Amino acid sequence: MRSLVVLGGADGAIPTLEAAHRVGLHTICVDQRTDAPAVSHADEFLSISTHAVDELVSVLTHRPDVCGVTSPASDVNLPTCAALARRLGLPSGLSADALRASVDKGFFRSVCDGQGLPGPGYVQGPAAEVVASAASLATPVIVKPTDSSGGRGIAVCTTHQGLPQAVAEAAEHSRSGVVIVEEYFEGDHYTAEAILCDDEIRIFALGRRTLTPQPHFVTLEHRMPSCAALTADVRRQLSRVCRALGYRWGALNADVLVRPSGDVVLIEMGARPGGNGSAELLGHVHGLDLTEAFVQMSVGDTPTLVCGAPRHALFHAFGAPTAGKLLALEGVEEIESMPEVAELVLAANPGEFVEPYHRAGAKVGYVLVTADDEHGVANAMDRVEQLLRVEVLEDVGELA
């Protein structure tokens, strides 16, 4: 038996766990939450904090079956992933700089600046210092925890007067207490997804990204692929960044902004598969299972990266209309029977507390739709939205 350790039990880990099963691996999910959505998809569960490196090493070090560790869809667990790989002698493509760029937004900005790539002015530092430093930036600005993801702690300030509160709230979502303040750029949002092998980006796609309204900035929808010229431009930029970081093999996810001027700006990156369905979309666009490929790389195997006929694909997240107890999800069977639906993932069960979709972990579920062209994807998604009904008992007092 060969076992893969998957750090984190959020819904973004479910595709990785299922892909590991398809390639014949035993799975061990690690999360402090016993009710995390991915736990039921694993063969084994360790109720341990994903930040408790010493405890995890103690538990896993005498297990010869453990042959790989991964942190899908989450940057916050990448330091633990790198530490476990190093201390247990497991495969890892993470360079020190690629790891840092994934968990330190200011460092990533400095790398892009060093490559001469377009980007916003920014300041970064402890919450107590960054407010004064940010006075030099033109407003509006966007405030973020430097080491958090999933839309947590982000705010846009149209004046400097709003900075103290926004910085304080961002710091609450940062394990390091470090906050980055950037000039806020308007534009169209995209997500890049890639697999690197042999020092180069081998598989790549760019998807148009729809976000929830301010102040949350959480991904609601991805559509892949994007136009060829833009895709090629982003790929070139990310290839330069990966070379600068010494990142030679693994998965890559990046947020991208295209300004009205046409400037392409890399916003941030994660040296791991993307969440919100973007890793799976990359596979559907190219006609191969990229999640399986990444799993194989994570345990030291060499995947076969042969692309099939190109297709269009879409990810769409859905949440609750209001906070309360989830009563039912209607239309699930009809949606799953649609030929265009590649996957319907449910992240909440009837009886559980749900809330409107204002952070990545608050989704009730998501759907992946594929078709031969963009029109087919749009029609299928319209049908999904007609069928799906999320019923919630609004009186949260009933949860007791």
Side-chain angles (χ1 to χ4, degrees):
M1 180 178 72
R2 297 200 303 164
S3 299
L4 175 68
V5 176
V6 178
L7 298 174
D11 60 273
I14 294 173
T16 297
L17 290 163
E18 293 180 341
H21 292 149
R22 290 195 297 272
V23 299
L25 294 171
H26 178 85
T27 56
I28 305 170
C29 182
V30 178
D31 200 295
Q32 216 163 16
R33 286 181 53 199
T34 59
D35 62 343
V39 169
S40 62
H41 295 260
D43 298 308
E44 190 177 342
F45 172 59
L46 296 178
S47 182
I48 301 174
S49 168
T50 53
H51 303 294
V53 175
D54 289 342
E55 184 177 359
L56 286 168
V57 169
S58 176
V59 170
L60 298 172
T61 193
H62 300 298
R63 291 193 54 165
D65 59 303
V66 172
C67 59
V69 58
T70 183
S71 173
S74 172
D75 296 323
V76 296
N77 294 328
L78 281 176
T80 299
C81 189
L84 290 179
R86 182 179 67 253
R87 294 174 62 175
L88 299 175
L90 303 174
S92 176
L94 276 172
S95 66
D97 282 346
L99 171 60
R100 185 178 174 188
S102 302
V103 297
D104 183 339
K105 294 177 174 62
F107 177 69
F108 177 70
R109 286 260 56 85
S110 70
V111 172
C112 292
D113 289 349
Q115 293 297 307
L117 302 177
Y122 69 96
V123 295
Q124 177 171 291
E129 301 173 6
V130 79
V131 173
S133 302
S136 62
L137 299 177
T139 54
V141 294
I142 185 165
V143 181
K144 312 172 190 176
T146 193
D147 52 2
S148 185
S149 58
R152 300 176 185 88
I154 297 177
V156 172
C157 296
T158 56
T159 68
H160 290 108
Q161 283 71 27
L163 276 172
Q165 180 178 348
V167 167
E169 291 176 356
E172 291 178 0
H173 293 273
S174 169
R175 290 181 61 84
S176 64
V178 175
V179 174
I180 185 169
V181 182
E182 300 174 343
E183 293 174 340
Y184 177 70
F185 285 171
E186 295 283 355
D188 296 326
H189 293 267
Y190 292 81
T191 293
E193 195 74 30
I195 292 287
L196 292 87
C197 284
D198 303 323
D199 298 345
E200 66 174 344
I201 293 177
R202 291 281 300 280
I203 308 294
F204 185 83
L206 184 70
R208 181 70 178 265
R209 184 176 175 221
T210 302
L211 302 176
T212 58
Q214 293 188 26
H216 303 301
F217 299 100
V218 184
T219 300
L220 178 64
E221 190 172 276
H222 289 296
R223 291 176 183 250
M224 288 186 180
S226 297
C227 78
L230 178 59
T231 298
D233 190 2
V234 175
R235 183 171 184 162
R236 282 192 296 270
Q237 289 197 25
L238 285 172
S239 293
R240 291 172 60 183
V241 169
C242 287
R243 284 194 295 271
L245 295 172
Y247 190 40
R248 296 181 172 86
W249 69 267
L252 175 68
N253 173 263
D255 292 341
V256 181
L257 183 78
V258 180
R259 303 187 68 187
S261 63
D263 282 347
V264 175
V265 180
L266 304 181
I267 301 298
E268 55 190 65
M269 66 160 275
R272 43 77 180 173
N276 292 321
S278 60
E280 297 93 295
L281 289 185
L282 176 63
H284 288 303
V285 166
H286 290 288
L288 69 163
D289 194 322
L290 265 298
T291 311
E292 279 188 18
F294 178 72
V295 165
Q296 290 172 312
M297 296 170 72
S298 299
V299 297
D301 296 339
T302 302
T304 301
L305 300 177
V306 178
C307 296
R311 287 174 64 81
H312 286 252
L314 174 148
F315 157 92
H316 186 90
F318 51 91
T322 186
K325 181 169 70 175
L326 180 62
L327 295 179
L329 289 166
E330 295 185 356
V332 170
E333 291 183 0
E334 293 92 335
I335 292 170
E336 290 178 328
S337 68
M338 292 174 56
E340 301 91 345
V341 173
E343 192 168 8
L344 176 64
V345 174
L346 303 180
N349 298 309
E352 294 179 350
F353 176 78
V354 293
E355 55 188 320
Y357 184 52
H358 63 282
R359 56 183 176 84
K363 66 172 72 69
V364 173
Y366 66 84
V367 64
L368 294 174
V369 174
T370 67
D372 291 333
D373 54 37
E374 189 174 357
H375 184 68
V377 164
N379 286 343
M381 191 60 225
D382 287 345
R383 178 63 176 155
V384 168
E385 291 182 322
Q386 292 170 7
L387 291 170
L388 185 67
R389 292 291 180 271
V390 181
E391 293 189 10
V392 175
L393 179 63
E394 185 174 357
D395 183 3
V396 294
E398 295 288 331
L399 293 172

